[in-house]
Amino acid sequence: MVRHGGRSWHGRVLAAAIGVTAVAAATSVWTAQADSVAGRGRPAASARPAAPGGAQGRAGVPVSVDIAHASDHGARGVNITIDDGPDPVWTPQVLRVLKENGVKATFCMVGTQAQAHPDMVRAVVAAGHRLCDHTVSHDTTMDTKSEAYQSQQIVDAERMITKASGGVRPLYYRAPGGAFTPYSRRLAASRGMRPLGWNADSKDFERPGTAVMVATVKREISNGPTVLFHDAGGDRSQTVAALRELLPWLKQQGYSFGFPVR
């Protein structure tokens, strides 16, 4: 997976998150913060965290530490994943296109964005989409940082997203830029979140033009079912236009839309 570097927007997100990260002095504190949310309502469809090392997901089923790429719809399944939001301008437009095409997606949310726009998080959940933890501040170098830092980024984001959603927990964890570590994968799985990769990168963050994005996905879909898009971090009009063209095309090719395997 290609790491996305040089994103000024993510620098701003990181700056906005400094106040959040400074609060946590140790992993035990961060875990306690997340568990305080867990004391409130737990919808049956959400992933419930287990004690670290337990790797238990819903209904006590173990969550794998392996990075997921496959679709629960099998060999002809496609997983649409939307990163870096939610955003009050672009998330509603992405949701509209998904609804028009009868497609469910997985939204990998940045903790500070979820905290700032809880109405958008709830809209995603209400539409039947799934949530994914994309860390507090989208630090693409977090695989070079301490385990305590990785824990704070993952656990605090889980807490922020769960609170914003009204109690629905993220089912997946996607490392920013693919910056997974063995520790971060184990931690995520222990909290009921399957590490989530991607196979086809639309390159929409670079805004190369809708036609280029569409051609890229058409070319890369043979690499595997999980496709990467974004609904924040700048003007996402090309993403919306590309989804509007690609979703019907994928159906015409005989694909169906599912979620990443758990």
Side-chain angles (χ1 to χ4, degrees), residues 29 41 48 56 76 97 121 128 131 133 138 143-144 151 182 187 189 193 201 216 218 241 260:
V29 176
R48 296 176 59 180
Q56 297 294 307
R76 298 295 289 177
V97 174
V121 182
L131 302 177
D133 180 334
H138 202 286
D143 56 340
T144 68
S151 178
L187 176 63
M193 298 183 292
D201 185 350
T216 298
K218 287 182 177 181

Side-chain angles (χ1 to χ4, degrees), residues 218-235:
K218 287 182 177 181
R219 181 177 66 252
E220 292 192 2
I221 194 64
S222 61
N223 295 338
T226 304
V227 189
L228 174 63
F229 295 96
H230 298 82
D231 63 341
D235 186 336

Side-chain angles (χ1 to χ4, degrees), residues 99-216:
K99 182 178 180 180
E100 289 169 354
N101 289 275
V103 173
K104 303 302 181 186
T106 300
F107 284 75
C108 300
M109 296 186 174
V110 173
T112 51
Q113 291 292 107
Q115 186 177 62
H117 307 291
D119 54 330
M120 290 291 94
V121 182
R122 289 179 171 87
V124 167
V125 171
H129 306 291
R130 287 186 179 178
L131 302 177
C132 171
D133 180 334
H134 204 32
T135 74
V136 172
S137 57
H138 202 286
D139 181 354
T140 59
T141 68
M142 64 181 291
D143 56 340
T144 68
K145 307 293 179 61
S146 68
E147 291 183 354
Y149 177 84
Q150 295 176 55
S151 178
Q152 175 269 318
Q153 285 285 308
I154 295 167
V155 175
D156 273 9
E158 179 195 11
R159 173 181 58 83
M160 297 160 83
I161 294 166
T162 301
K163 182 178 180 180
S165 72
V168 178
R169 293 179 174 276
L171 296 178
Y172 308 93
Y173 163 65
R174 173 173 276 168
F180 288 101
T181 66
Y183 173 79
S184 68
R185 290 190 288 110
R186 289 195 305 270
L187 176 63
S190 78
R191 302 191 67 80
M193 298 183 292
R194 178 77 185 265
L196 176 60
W198 66 84
N199 306 106
D201 185 350
S202 68
K203 305 293 186 182
D204 63 340
F205 207 93
E206 300 171 6
R207 295 198 289 273
T210 298
V212 173
M213 290 162 52
V214 168
T216 298

